[in-house]
Amino acid sequence: MDNEKRMTTWCRMWSEDPSLAYGLMTDDCVQWSNRTAGLDTVVGPAEQERFVTEYRARQVNVFSPRVLVDAGDRFAYLWDVRKADGEVWTGIDVNVLSGDRIRENWTFVAERHCEQSDPAPEAAGRTDAATIEELCHRWVQLRNGRAELATDLVMGDFDLFSGAGPDSDAHGPAELADLIERQAETDDRSAVTIHRQPVVDPARGYVAFLWNAETRAGGASVGGVDLLTVRSGRLARAWSMTGTRPFRY
């Protein structure tokens, strides 16, 4: 099973068939959700099958994969979920494999939908891994207050979708720089650091990475994720989602 198939099958497990967990997860697979601690105690496929079965008895939501970031032993992807009431939310999953099964999973969901169409991987062209990682680190510098980086870091038609809400979206380098400056002026602004290893996909020109954000005022820590696309050596699209709780692993 390749990572595109794993992405699709993971969504099907939640949407229609909880028993698919046995072909996806290691016996010690762990999960973390940005919204609740409900998945913290769910370890391995048997517990996952029980959890998802009970979840689907309460509500049947349909999950659809969107943008895949494939690094071989790690992968991430953007997805949509259509809820029972017809509302659609967008999320991101990050996964680490052990052998051919998922051993660690992080799930993020925004309480809103990204309406923009997904970029075509072939439009990006192949970008070397070193360039993507450098852009990733510069993006973190920008998020930590270096608003002046926006001009050279992102494309003129750049778009940022924020799980925090439309007030934190940005279109183009000028809006992005203004957003960073406004966020830097708040008393409880957060310092972002990369958590674990970024998921770098040179073939598609994509990268996803987990991050920790610690508020400077209160010292509270939460986990988040960003998914970025690269075009012509700059960032073209970004999706950013944060949690309400710190990472467990």
Side-chain angles (χ1 to χ4, degrees):
M1 185 185 297
D2 61 20
N3 286 330
E4 185 169 6
K5 181 68 172 177
R6 289 187 183 95
M7 169 183 73
T8 302
T9 306
W10 189 273
C11 288
R12 286 186 55 218
M13 173 184 67
W14 282 96
S15 299
E16 59 185 81
D17 186 358
S19 71
L20 292 172
Y22 292 95
L24 286 168
M25 306 171 74
T26 63
D27 290 342
D28 58 352
C29 178
V30 290
Q31 300 171 80
W32 178 92
S33 168
N34 71 320
R35 293 166 55 81
T36 71
L39 287 169
D40 286 3
T41 59
V42 180
V43 178
E47 292 183 9
Q48 177 74 353
E49 182 182 29
R50 286 193 294 271
F51 183 91
V52 177
T53 298
E54 293 173 0
Y55 168 88
R56 296 186 71 253
R58 298 189 302 270
Q59 55 186 337
V60 178
N61 296 334
V62 178
F63 293 80
S64 304
R66 293 179 59 173
V67 176
L68 173 65
V69 185
D70 190 350
D73 61 347
R74 287 160 288 123
F75 68 102
Y77 57 94
L78 189 77
W79 49 264
D80 283 344
V81 55
R82 181 172 294 278
K83 301 167 62 184
D85 61 6
E87 190 174 9
V88 179
W89 290 353
T90 297
I92 296 174
D93 269 30
V94 178
N95 304 275
V96 173
L97 300 177
S98 177
D100 63 349
R101 306 281 176 97
I102 295 169
R103 185 178 185 187
E104 295 176 314
N105 167 267
W106 295 262
T107 296
F108 300 81
V109 60
E111 294 185 357
R112 58 187 298 236
H113 182 224
C114 178
E115 302 283 356
Q116 297 177 16
S117 60
D118 297 333
E122 60 270 18
R126 186 174 181 89
T127 305
D128 67 273
T131 296
I132 295 175
E133 291 210 38
E134 174 63 21
L135 289 170
C136 179
H137 286 283
R138 291 178 66 200
W139 173 256
V140 172
Q141 291 177 334
L142 178 140
R143 290 203 54 189
N144 283 327
R146 295 281 304 280
E148 76 278 4
L149 295 176
T151 301
D152 295 324
L153 183 59
V154 306
M155 302 290 293
D157 59 352
F158 170 84
D159 279 308
L160 164 65
F161 171 86
S162 172
D167 288 345
S168 296
D169 289 349
H171 310 284
E175 278 193 23
L176 179 61
D178 180 65
L179 172 67
I180 297 300
E181 288 173 351
R182 285 189 283 112
Q183 291 175 338
E185 291 171 356
T186 65
D187 291 334
D188 202 28
R189 60 195 183 276
S190 299
V192 173
T193 57
I194 293 176
H195 179 70
R196 307 283 290 268
Q197 185 177 359
V199 182
V200 179
D201 186 339
R204 293 173 173 83
Y206 297 166
V207 60
F209 65 95
L210 302 168
W211 46 264
N212 288 302
E214 184 172 319
T215 58
R216 293 185 174 95
S221 178
V222 296
V225 65
D226 283 8
L227 194 159
L228 313 171
T229 73
V230 178
R231 191 173 79 243
S232 302
R234 295 188 181 187
L235 298 177
R237 294 281 298 277
W239 295 263
S240 184
M241 300 180 193
T242 188
T244 59
R245 52 198 300 262
F247 291 128
R248 294 188 300 119
Y249 48 85

PDB file of all heavy atoms in Angstrom, residues 123-151:
ATOM      1  N   ALA A 123       1.895  21.274 -11.409  1.00  0.00           N
ATOM      2  CA  ALA A 123       2.087  22.700 -11.648  1.00  0.00           C
ATOM      3  C   ALA A 123       3.295  23.229 -10.887  1.00  0.00           C
ATOM      4  O   ALA A 123       3.892  24.229 -11.261  1.00  0.00           O
ATOM      5  CB  ALA A 123       0.838  23.475 -11.233  1.00  0.00           C
ATOM      6  N   ALA A 124       3.651  22.562  -9.795  1.00  0.00           N
ATOM      7  CA  ALA A 124       4.775  23.016  -8.981  1.00  0.00           C
ATOM      8  C   ALA A 124       6.108  22.629  -9.611  1.00  0.00           C
ATOM      9  O   ALA A 124       7.075  23.368  -9.560  1.00  0.00           O
ATOM     10  CB  ALA A 124       4.664  22.435  -7.567  1.00  0.00           C
ATOM     11  N   GLY A 125       6.168  21.459 -10.234  1.00  0.00           N
ATOM     12  CA  GLY A 125       7.447  20.972 -10.720  1.00  0.00           C
ATOM     13  C   GLY A 125       8.280  20.459  -9.572  1.00  0.00           C
ATOM     14  O   GLY A 125       8.009  20.748  -8.411  1.00  0.00           O
ATOM     15  N   ARG A 126       9.299  19.700  -9.868  1.00  0.00           N
ATOM     16  CA  ARG A 126      10.130  19.144  -8.812  1.00  0.00           C
ATOM     17  C   ARG A 126      10.999  20.229  -8.175  1.00  0.00           C
ATOM     18  O   ARG A 126      11.639  21.015  -8.869  1.00  0.00           O
ATOM     19  CB  ARG A 126      11.009  18.021  -9.359  1.00  0.00           C
ATOM     20  CG  ARG A 126      11.796  17.315  -8.275  1.00  0.00           C
ATOM     21  CD  ARG A 126      12.552  16.115  -8.797  1.00  0.00           C
ATOM     22  NE  ARG A 126      13.258  15.479  -7.704  1.00  0.00           N
ATOM     23  CZ  ARG A 126      12.763  14.537  -6.928  1.00  0.00           C
ATOM     24  NH1 ARG A 126      11.530  14.125  -7.151  1.00  0.00           N
ATOM     25  NH2 ARG A 126      13.453  14.000  -5.947  1.00  0.00           N
ATOM     26  N   THR A 127      11.002  20.282  -6.863  1.00  0.00           N
ATOM     27  CA  THR A 127      11.825  21.220  -6.101  1.00  0.00           C
ATOM     28  C   THR A 127      12.695  20.412  -5.158  1.00  0.00           C
ATOM     29  O   THR A 127      12.210  19.512  -4.484  1.00  0.00           O
ATOM     30  CB  THR A 127      10.947  22.190  -5.282  1.00  0.00           C
ATOM     31  OG1 THR A 127      10.021  22.839  -6.160  1.00  0.00           O
ATOM     32  CG2 THR A 127      11.795  23.230  -4.585  1.00  0.00           C
ATOM     33  N   ASP A 128      13.994  20.710  -5.106  1.00  0.00           N
ATOM     34  CA  ASP A 128      14.877  19.885  -4.280  1.00  0.00           C
ATOM     35  C   ASP A 128      14.543  20.049  -2.803  1.00  0.00           C
ATOM     36  O   ASP A 128      14.061  21.106  -2.356  1.00  0.00           O
ATOM     37  CB  ASP A 128      16.339  20.210  -4.546  1.00  0.00           C
ATOM     38  CG  ASP A 128      16.710  21.607  -4.091  1.00  0.00           C
ATOM     39  OD1 ASP A 128      16.520  22.549  -4.894  1.00  0.00           O
ATOM     40  OD2 ASP A 128      17.161  21.758  -2.948  1.00  0.00           O
ATOM     41  N   ALA A 129      14.811  18.991  -2.047  1.00  0.00           N
ATOM     42  CA  ALA A 129      14.426  18.933  -0.638  1.00  0.00           C
ATOM     43  C   ALA A 129      15.079  20.043   0.172  1.00  0.00           C
ATOM     44  O   ALA A 129      14.464  20.612   1.076  1.00  0.00           O
ATOM     45  CB  ALA A 129      14.779  17.565  -0.057  1.00  0.00           C
ATOM     46  N   ALA A 130      16.348  20.372  -0.128  1.00  0.00           N
ATOM     47  CA  ALA A 130      17.050  21.406   0.635  1.00  0.00           C
ATOM     48  C   ALA A 130      16.361  22.760   0.492  1.00  0.00           C
ATOM     49  O   ALA A 130      16.229  23.518   1.465  1.00  0.00           O
ATOM     50  CB  ALA A 130      18.502  21.497   0.181  1.00  0.00           C
ATOM     51  N   THR A 131      15.912  23.080  -0.727  1.00  0.00           N
ATOM     52  CA  THR A 131      15.204  24.341  -0.956  1.00  0.00           C
ATOM     53  C   THR A 131      13.902  24.386  -0.184  1.00  0.00           C
ATOM     54  O   THR A 131      13.560  25.399   0.442  1.00  0.00           O
ATOM     55  CB  THR A 131      14.926  24.540  -2.453  1.00  0.00           C
ATOM     56  OG1 THR A 131      16.170  24.651  -3.156  1.00  0.00           O
ATOM     57  CG2 THR A 131      14.093  25.785  -2.708  1.00  0.00           C
ATOM     58  N   ILE A 132      13.168  23.271  -0.196  1.00  0.00           N
ATOM     59  CA  ILE A 132      11.891  23.218   0.520  1.00  0.00           C
ATOM     60  C   ILE A 132      12.113  23.393   2.018  1.00  0.00           C
ATOM     61  O   ILE A 132      11.378  24.136   2.685  1.00  0.00           O
ATOM     62  CB  ILE A 132      11.168  21.887   0.221  1.00  0.00           C
ATOM     63  CG1 ILE A 132      10.777  21.825  -1.260  1.00  0.00           C
ATOM     64  CG2 ILE A 132       9.934  21.730   1.103  1.00  0.00           C
ATOM     65  CD1 ILE A 132      10.162  20.500  -1.679  1.00  0.00           C
ATOM     66  N   GLU A 133      13.114  22.718   2.568  1.00  0.00           N
ATOM     67  CA  GLU A 133      13.370  22.835   4.009  1.00  0.00           C
ATOM     68  C   GLU A 133      13.789  24.251   4.376  1.00  0.00           C
ATOM     69  O   GLU A 133      13.403  24.775   5.429  1.00  0.00           O
ATOM     70  CB  GLU A 133      14.428  21.810   4.441  1.00  0.00           C
ATOM     71  CG  GLU A 133      13.923  20.373   4.378  1.00  0.00           C
ATOM     72  CD  GLU A 133      14.582  19.478   5.421  1.00  0.00           C
ATOM     73  OE1 GLU A 133      14.815  19.954   6.553  1.00  0.00           O
ATOM     74  OE2 GLU A 133      14.848  18.322   5.094  1.00  0.00           O
ATOM     75  N   GLU A 134      14.576  24.894   3.521  1.00  0.00           N
ATOM     76  CA  GLU A 134      14.980  26.279   3.786  1.00  0.00           C
ATOM     77  C   GLU A 134      13.762  27.205   3.796  1.00  0.00           C
ATOM     78  O   GLU A 134      13.631  28.077   4.658  1.00  0.00           O
ATOM     79  CB  GLU A 134      15.989  26.728   2.732  1.00  0.00           C
ATOM     80  CG  GLU A 134      16.374  28.205   2.808  1.00  0.00           C
ATOM     81  CD  GLU A 134      17.064  28.588   4.111  1.00  0.00           C
ATOM     82  OE1 GLU A 134      17.606  27.703   4.791  1.00  0.00           O
ATOM     83  OE2 GLU A 134      17.064  29.789   4.434  1.00  0.00           O
ATOM     84  N   LEU A 135      12.860  27.013   2.834  1.00  0.00           N
ATOM     85  CA  LEU A 135      11.637  27.818   2.799  1.00  0.00           C
ATOM     86  C   LEU A 135      10.786  27.573   4.043  1.00  0.00           C
ATOM     87  O   LEU A 135      10.180  28.498   4.590  1.00  0.00           O
ATOM     88  CB  LEU A 135      10.835  27.494   1.535  1.00  0.00           C
ATOM     89  CG  LEU A 135      11.426  27.991   0.219  1.00  0.00           C
ATOM     90  CD1 LEU A 135      10.667  27.385  -0.955  1.00  0.00           C
ATOM     91  CD2 LEU A 135      11.390  29.513   0.142  1.00  0.00           C
ATOM     92  N   CYS A 136      10.762  26.336   4.489  1.00  0.00           N
ATOM     93  CA  CYS A 136      10.022  25.975   5.692  1.00  0.00           C
ATOM     94  C   CYS A 136      10.558  26.731   6.905  1.00  0.00           C
ATOM     95  O   CYS A 136       9.789  27.314   7.687  1.00  0.00           O
ATOM     96  CB  CYS A 136      10.125  24.466   5.892  1.00  0.00           C
ATOM     97  SG  CYS A 136       9.288  23.834   7.351  1.00  0.00           S
ATOM     98  N   HIS A 137      11.873  26.777   7.058  1.00  0.00           N
ATOM     99  CA  HIS A 137      12.469  27.466   8.201  1.00  0.00           C
ATOM    100  C   HIS A 137      12.289  28.978   8.097  1.00  0.00           C
ATOM    101  O   HIS A 137      12.075  29.652   9.116  1.00  0.00           O
ATOM    102  CB  HIS A 137      13.943  27.093   8.329  1.00  0.00           C
ATOM    103  CG  HIS A 137      14.167  25.706   8.849  1.00  0.00           C
ATOM    104  ND1 HIS A 137      14.032  25.383  10.181  1.00  0.00           N
ATOM    105  CD2 HIS A 137      14.492  24.538   8.209  1.00  0.00           C
ATOM    106  CE1 HIS A 137      14.271  24.094  10.354  1.00  0.00           C
ATOM    107  NE2 HIS A 137      14.545  23.554   9.179  1.00  0.00           N
ATOM    108  N   ARG A 138      12.346  29.519   6.892  1.00  0.00           N
ATOM    109  CA  ARG A 138      12.104  30.955   6.721  1.00  0.00           C
ATOM    110  C   ARG A 138      10.651  31.287   7.034  1.00  0.00           C
ATOM    111  O   ARG A 138      10.350  32.363   7.568  1.00  0.00           O
ATOM    112  CB  ARG A 138      12.481  31.382   5.303  1.00  0.00           C
ATOM    113  CG  ARG A 138      13.977  31.344   5.024  1.00  0.00           C
ATOM    114  CD  ARG A 138      14.266  31.728   3.594  1.00  0.00           C
ATOM    115  NE  ARG A 138      13.925  33.123   3.340  1.00  0.00           N
ATOM    116  CZ  ARG A 138      13.714  33.616   2.122  1.00  0.00           C
ATOM    117  NH1 ARG A 138      13.785  32.824   1.058  1.00  0.00           N
ATOM    118  NH2 ARG A 138      13.415  34.893   1.967  1.00  0.00           N
ATOM    119  N   TRP A 139       9.743  30.380   6.700  1.00  0.00           N
ATOM    120  CA  TRP A 139       8.328  30.570   7.031  1.00  0.00           C
ATOM    121  C   TRP A 139       8.139  30.666   8.545  1.00  0.00           C
ATOM    122  O   TRP A 139       7.375  31.497   9.040  1.00  0.00           O
ATOM    123  CB  TRP A 139       7.519  29.421   6.442  1.00  0.00           C
ATOM    124  CG  TRP A 139       6.068  29.378   6.828  1.00  0.00           C
ATOM    125  CD1 TRP A 139       5.481  28.535   7.735  1.00  0.00           C
ATOM    126  CD2 TRP A 139       5.014  30.197   6.320  1.00  0.00           C
ATOM    127  NE1 TRP A 139       4.131  28.769   7.823  1.00  0.00           N
ATOM    128  CE2 TRP A 139       3.812  29.786   6.966  1.00  0.00           C
ATOM    129  CE3 TRP A 139       4.952  31.232   5.385  1.00  0.00           C
ATOM    130  CZ2 TRP A 139       2.581  30.372   6.704  1.00  0.00           C
ATOM    131  CZ3 TRP A 139       3.717  31.820   5.116  1.00  0.00           C
ATOM    132  CH2 TRP A 139       2.561  31.397   5.770  1.00  0.00           C
ATOM    133  N   VAL A 140       8.850  29.820   9.291  1.00  0.00           N
ATOM    134  CA  VAL A 140       8.765  29.876  10.756  1.00  0.00           C
ATOM    135  C   VAL A 140       9.313  31.212  11.257  1.00  0.00           C
ATOM    136  O   VAL A 140       8.732  31.823  12.166  1.00  0.00           O
ATOM    137  CB  VAL A 140       9.525  28.692  11.389  1.00  0.00           C
ATOM    138  CG1 VAL A 140       9.620  28.854  12.901  1.00  0.00           C
ATOM    139  CG2 VAL A 140       8.825  27.374  11.052  1.00  0.00           C
ATOM    140  N   GLN A 141      10.422  31.685  10.669  1.00  0.00           N
ATOM    141  CA  GLN A 141      10.951  32.988  11.055  1.00  0.00           C
ATOM    142  C   GLN A 141       9.925  34.088  10.812  1.00  0.00           C
ATOM    143  O   GLN A 141       9.731  34.984  11.653  1.00  0.00           O
ATOM    144  CB  GLN A 141      12.229  33.294  10.269  1.00  0.00           C
ATOM    145  CG  GLN A 141      13.413  32.417  10.634  1.00  0.00           C
ATOM    146  CD  GLN A 141      14.626  32.721   9.767  1.00  0.00           C
ATOM    147  OE1 GLN A 141      14.504  33.190   8.637  1.00  0.00           O
ATOM    148  NE2 GLN A 141      15.808  32.448  10.299  1.00  0.00           N
ATOM    149  N   LEU A 142       9.259  34.023   9.670  1.00  0.00           N
ATOM    150  CA  LEU A 142       8.227  35.004   9.367  1.00  0.00           C
ATOM    151  C   LEU A 142       7.108  34.943  10.401  1.00  0.00           C
ATOM    152  O   LEU A 142       6.676  35.969  10.928  1.00  0.00           O
ATOM    153  CB  LEU A 142       7.678  34.765   7.958  1.00  0.00           C
ATOM    154  CG  LEU A 142       6.546  35.692   7.495  1.00  0.00           C
ATOM    155  CD1 LEU A 142       6.714  36.079   6.041  1.00  0.00           C
ATOM    156  CD2 LEU A 142       5.171  35.036   7.678  1.00  0.00           C
ATOM    157  N   ARG A 143       6.660  33.746  10.718  1.00  0.00           N
ATOM    158  CA  ARG A 143       5.578  33.595  11.686  1.00  0.00           C
ATOM    159  C   ARG A 143       5.968  34.122  13.067  1.00  0.00           C
ATOM    160  O   ARG A 143       5.105  34.520  13.847  1.00  0.00           O
ATOM    161  CB  ARG A 143       5.165  32.126  11.789  1.00  0.00           C
ATOM    162  CG  ARG A 143       4.447  31.604  10.546  1.00  0.00           C
ATOM    163  CD  ARG A 143       3.592  30.412  10.867  1.00  0.00           C
ATOM    164  NE  ARG A 143       2.670  30.707  11.952  1.00  0.00           N
ATOM    165  CZ  ARG A 143       1.924  29.785  12.558  1.00  0.00           C
ATOM    166  NH1 ARG A 143       2.009  28.529  12.181  1.00  0.00           N
ATOM    167  NH2 ARG A 143       1.109  30.108  13.524  1.00  0.00           N
ATOM    168  N   ASN A 144       7.252  34.123  13.344  1.00  0.00           N
ATOM    169  CA  ASN A 144       7.731  34.616  14.637  1.00  0.00           C
ATOM    170  C   ASN A 144       8.035  36.115  14.617  1.00  0.00           C
ATOM    171  O   ASN A 144       8.743  36.618  15.489  1.00  0.00           O
ATOM    172  CB  ASN A 144       8.961  33.821  15.080  1.00  0.00           C
ATOM    173  CG  ASN A 144       8.590  32.454  15.622  1.00  0.00           C
ATOM    174  OD1 ASN A 144       7.541  32.282  16.231  1.00  0.00           O
ATOM    175  ND2 ASN A 144       9.447  31.474  15.401  1.00  0.00           N
ATOM    176  N   GLY A 145       7.489  36.812  13.625  1.00  0.00           N
ATOM    177  CA  GLY A 145       7.555  38.265  13.646  1.00  0.00           C
ATOM    178  C   GLY A 145       8.365  38.923  12.554  1.00  0.00           C
ATOM    179  O   GLY A 145       8.369  40.150  12.442  1.00  0.00           O
ATOM    180  N   ARG A 146       9.049  38.116  11.704  1.00  0.00           N
ATOM    181  CA  ARG A 146       9.879  38.697  10.645  1.00  0.00           C
ATOM    182  C   ARG A 146       9.006  39.016   9.429  1.00  0.00           C
ATOM    183  O   ARG A 146       9.112  38.406   8.367  1.00  0.00           O
ATOM    184  CB  ARG A 146      10.998  37.725  10.268  1.00  0.00           C
ATOM    185  CG  ARG A 146      12.011  37.439  11.361  1.00  0.00           C
ATOM    186  CD  ARG A 146      13.019  38.556  11.485  1.00  0.00           C
ATOM    187  NE  ARG A 146      13.696  38.824  10.209  1.00  0.00           N
ATOM    188  CZ  ARG A 146      14.707  38.108   9.731  1.00  0.00           C
ATOM    189  NH1 ARG A 146      15.197  37.079  10.427  1.00  0.00           N
ATOM    190  NH2 ARG A 146      15.273  38.425   8.581  1.00  0.00           N
ATOM    191  N   ALA A 147       8.124  39.993   9.562  1.00  0.00           N
ATOM    192  CA  ALA A 147       7.157  40.335   8.515  1.00  0.00           C
ATOM    193  C   ALA A 147       7.838  40.736   7.212  1.00  0.00           C
ATOM    194  O   ALA A 147       7.284  40.540   6.124  1.00  0.00           O
ATOM    195  CB  ALA A 147       6.237  41.450   9.000  1.00  0.00           C
ATOM    196  N   GLU A 148       9.044  41.306   7.288  1.00  0.00           N
ATOM    197  CA  GLU A 148       9.740  41.773   6.088  1.00  0.00           C
ATOM    198  C   GLU A 148      10.108  40.630   5.142  1.00  0.00           C
ATOM    199  O   GLU A 148      10.382  40.850   3.952  1.00  0.00           O
ATOM    200  CB  GLU A 148      11.003  42.555   6.476  1.00  0.00           C
ATOM    201  CG  GLU A 148      12.193  41.724   6.943  1.00  0.00           C
ATOM    202  CD  GLU A 148      12.113  41.299   8.417  1.00  0.00           C
ATOM    203  OE1 GLU A 148      11.087  41.588   9.063  1.00  0.00           O
ATOM    204  OE2 GLU A 148      13.080  40.682   8.903  1.00  0.00           O
ATOM    205  N   LEU A 149      10.099  39.386   5.643  1.00  0.00           N
ATOM    206  CA  LEU A 149      10.430  38.234   4.795  1.00  0.00           C
ATOM    207  C   LEU A 149       9.347  37.930   3.775  1.00  0.00           C
ATOM    208  O   LEU A 149       9.600  37.253   2.779  1.00  0.00           O
ATOM    209  CB  LEU A 149      10.666  36.992   5.662  1.00  0.00           C
ATOM    210  CG  LEU A 149      11.868  37.017   6.607  1.00  0.00           C
ATOM    211  CD1 LEU A 149      11.902  35.756   7.452  1.00  0.00           C
ATOM    212  CD2 LEU A 149      13.167  37.175   5.823  1.00  0.00           C
ATOM    213  N   ALA A 150       8.136  38.409   3.998  1.00  0.00           N
ATOM    214  CA  ALA A 150       7.005  38.052   3.137  1.00  0.00           C
ATOM    215  C   ALA A 150       7.256  38.420   1.680  1.00  0.00           C
ATOM    216  O   ALA A 150       6.896  37.671   0.766  1.00  0.00           O
ATOM    217  CB  ALA A 150       5.726  38.726   3.643  1.00  0.00           C
ATOM    218  N   THR A 151       7.877  39.553   1.422  1.00  0.00           N
ATOM    219  CA  THR A 151       8.069  40.039   0.055  1.00  0.00           C
ATOM    220  C   THR A 151       8.818  39.041  -0.807  1.00  0.00           C
ATOM    221  O   THR A 151       8.453  38.796  -1.968  1.00  0.00           O
ATOM    222  CB  THR A 151       8.828  41.384   0.066  1.00  0.00           C
ATOM    223  OG1 THR A 151       8.067  42.330   0.818  1.00  0.00           O
ATOM    224  CG2 THR A 151       9.022  41.905  -1.350  1.00  0.00           C
TER     225      THR A 151
END
